[in-house]
Amino acid sequence: NILVITNMDVNVLTVLDPETLEVVDQIKGSKHGFGANYAIAYSTEKQKYGLKGGGKHMILDRDFNQVREQIPQNYTKAEYTSQDMDADGTCLYYVVSYGENTSDNLIMIHKWNGYYVQSLSIPFHVEGESIFHHDGKFYFSATDWNDRRAKVYDLEFTYVYQ
């Protein structure tokens, strides 16, 4: 097992040992990113990473080699702030938080081939930060600016595609 984090300022992925949190490796260069990588997720089923940055996403193999770069359909409108992502064997899940003209957060769902599935609105005024899953259940974390507290919500998805 490894833990991988992105660096938004430079094109670097940092690989950590999940037990000690010591840096194992730093992967630098254009091989794996868009200049400002801001989210990465790994699918154990696919044995691949999804990497998000610059309005695009990239699929990487388990050794961080590029498999495909794509601009997902219906990615984001300028008024949203792109946040974290998650992945499973079926889809990539992108969190975008509200902007000036909207109070909703979105979870944008794409298949691994870039095909747009749907966008789910999170209709309450919090700043969406991340999405993750555990034991088949998805969770959405957010900052509630009214009371300045972090909150975690559990989500239920109903897929309507084949």
Side-chain angles (χ1 to χ4, degrees):
N1 290 340
I2 61 171
L3 174 65
V4 181
I5 59 174
T6 61
N7 184 326
M8 291 176 55
D9 291 330
V10 294
N11 199 8
V12 175
L13 296 177
T14 302
V15 181
L16 304 175
D17 179 306
E19 301 295 324
T20 65
L21 298 181
E22 291 181 15
V23 174
V24 174
D25 194 9
Q26 286 200 311
I27 303 164
K28 301 177 183 178
S30 60
K31 159 184 172 179
H32 66 278
F34 309 108
N37 301 315
Y38 41 82
I40 191 168
Y42 184 71
S43 167
T44 54
E45 300 93 337
K46 291 282 190 184
Q47 299 282 301
K48 293 180 183 165
Y49 291 91
L51 178 66
K52 181 170 80 165
K56 304 177 200 174
H57 75 234
M58 184 179 289
I59 306 302
L60 309 174
D61 66 18
R62 63 182 300 154
D63 296 319
F64 303 103
N65 297 304
Q66 180 178 330
V67 174
R68 181 176 53 260
E69 179 180 325
Q70 53 205 34
I71 300 173
Q73 302 166 17
N74 297 351
Y75 189 68
T76 60
K77 295 181 181 175
E79 68 261 19
Y80 286 100
T81 300
S82 206
Q83 301 285 14
D84 195 24
M85 68 182 290
D86 192 18
D88 62 18
T90 306
C91 293
L92 298 157
Y93 306 86
Y94 303 100
V95 173
V96 292
S97 61
Y98 64 87
E100 294 177 21
N101 300 320
T102 180
S103 62
D104 290 356
N105 294 272
L106 296 176
I107 297 172
M108 304 184 76
I109 303 172
H110 290 82
K111 293 189 113 187
W112 279 87
N113 65 4
Y115 177 78
Y116 173 74
V117 177
Q118 64 186 25
S119 293
L120 304 174
S121 177
I122 308 292
F124 37 86
H125 195 71
V126 294
E127 182 179 351
E129 301 290 351
S130 67
I131 185 171
F132 56 96
H133 70 280
H134 180 69
D135 287 338
K137 187 141 185 113
F138 280 87
Y139 299 89
F140 170 77
S141 70
T143 302
D144 186 333
W145 292 109
N146 293 324
D147 62 11
R148 304 246 186 247
R149 293 180 181 228
K151 297 187 176 179
V152 177
Y153 303 88
D154 59 341
L155 303 173
E156 268 187 48
F157 294 152
T158 302
Y159 292 110
V160 292
Y161 69 95
Q162 297 181 357

